[in-house]
Amino acid sequence: MIDRLREHFPSFEDLIETPLANARHASGWHVTARSTDRRTLGSGFHSDLQKARKIAVAEFIERSFFKGLTSNQDSTEWGLHEFPSACGFAAGFDTDNTRLRSTFEGLERWAMAQWIDEGCPMPERKVDNL
């Protein structure tokens, strides 16, 4: 996978994998996709290392796609000249899940705009069953 990413994305260098652990065991992973100049291209968290890798790579591909759109005439077609944001963009390896995450990205941005831009109160709620 690493070689294929480097082939298609020359700026991609490697994945940095960091266990998230307490004194007893690793409970999850943080994976970061890095560029050849050591910039973060995307990252992901998950309890499973393979899934954390997929999240990091999907985030990197999503950001690369968005950057490509904003740097050419497609930015007008996609409305990015008016709203230069990746909110609502998602990349992934499962079509239905990726569509759902894209919807959630847009919903998250809308909720934050209501709270921050429009001053809509967002009261805290205690969650009992987690």
Side-chain angles (χ1 to χ4, degrees), residues 2-128:
I2 299 291
D3 289 338
R4 186 154 296 171
L5 285 170
R6 286 182 185 137
E7 178 183 331
H8 292 286
F9 302 96
S11 66
F12 174 79
E13 175 68 22
D14 57 11
L15 295 175
I16 303 300
E17 300 169 350
T18 306
L20 305 173
N22 61 22
R24 294 185 201 140
H25 70 284
S27 57
W29 293 89
H30 177 248
V31 177
T32 301
R34 288 192 318 177
S35 67
T36 53
D37 62 355
R38 304 295 190 249
R39 289 181 299 111
T40 297
L41 301 170
S43 64
F45 290 94
H46 202 279
S47 58
D48 177 72
L49 177 58
Q50 288 292 69
K51 289 182 180 177
R53 287 173 178 158
K54 286 174 71 173
I55 293 167
V57 169
E59 180 79 14
F60 160 56
I61 292 170
E62 175 187 321
R63 289 179 180 187
S64 296
F65 180 72
F66 177 76
K67 184 178 178 184
L69 285 175
T70 59
S71 64
N72 63 37
Q73 71 272 10
D74 290 334
S75 66
T76 303
E77 180 182 339
W78 287 73
L80 299 174
H81 63 294
E82 291 184 43
F83 302 101
S85 169
C87 291
F89 281 79
F93 304 96
D94 173 86
T95 302
D96 291 337
N97 189 347
T98 303
R99 283 185 180 137
L100 184 62
R101 286 187 302 102
S102 177
T103 301
F104 287 161
E105 287 244 351
L107 180 60
E108 177 186 40
R109 175 63 185 106
W110 176 83
M112 289 180 67
Q114 295 303 301
W115 175 43
I116 296 168
D117 300 337
E118 304 298 326
C120 182
M122 200 176 280
E124 283 189 37
R125 297 251 164 89
K126 182 178 178 184
V127 178
D128 293 322

